[in-house]
Amino acid sequence: MKSGFCRLAGVLALWIGSCLVGCAATQQEQVLEMPSKEVAELTADDVVRVMLFAGFSHEQILELGTAVRNALAATGGASIHVDGRTEALLSVDSRRLYVSSRRRGSFIYPLDDPTPPDPPPAPTTQPAPE
């Protein structure tokens, strides 16, 4: 009886620990809806392209991509936050997705174009003048 109780207590402790770790991860990354003039239902491929262009990692795309797609379909805009910082703003207007990201700057992603655009160039840092 005692070993069964200890096993149950161990399983509960692991379960509670995994819940706390999962909760902490979701608090560090979040997507907020932002009202825009238009809404758009992006394909999964479009969401991946846009988020890669904006500088997000594959793991972040897996974690946040669905919420980004849902926000754009519901309100036409999304704000992506990681560790309390705004990493990207997305807004739909005139069948274009306007994206401004902390890592890659701003770009426009056409929603009606069957061929995806080339990704924007990575920002270059210039040495400070001496």
Side-chain angles (χ1 to χ4, degrees):
M1 178 93 174
K2 210 173 195 181
S3 70
F5 177 76
C6 290
R7 238 180 289 165
L8 178 61
V11 169
L12 283 174
L14 286 174
W15 180 74
I16 290 171
S18 67
C19 286
L20 291 176
V21 169
C23 293
T26 58
Q27 290 175 358
Q28 293 176 354
E29 298 177 342
Q30 74 181 105
V31 176
L32 301 175
E33 294 179 351
M34 292 180 13
S36 185
K37 292 181 180 181
E38 298 176 26
V39 297
E41 291 187 18
L42 275 67
T43 66
D45 288 341
D46 286 334
V47 172
V48 170
R49 280 188 201 106
V50 167
M51 290 185 74
L52 282 173
F53 290 178
F56 288 95
S57 69
H58 294 282
E59 292 80 18
Q60 289 174 316
I61 294 169
L62 282 173
E63 290 178 24
L64 302 171
T66 302
V68 169
R69 183 185 183 283
N70 292 344
L72 295 173
T75 63
S79 174
I80 304 173
H81 303 271
V82 177
D83 293 331
R85 293 174 54 177
T86 303
E87 290 295 326
L89 300 172
L90 299 86
S91 181
V92 177
D93 186 32
S94 301
R95 296 300 302 155
R96 292 182 189 98
L97 181 62
Y98 292 83
V99 181
S100 180
S101 75
R102 181 179 299 279
R103 295 180 196 133
R104 289 281 186 92
S106 299
F107 60 94
I108 300 170
Y109 187 87
L111 298 175
D112 291 331
D113 191 356
T115 57
D118 292 330
T124 57
T125 56
Q126 299 179 358
E130 294 180 23

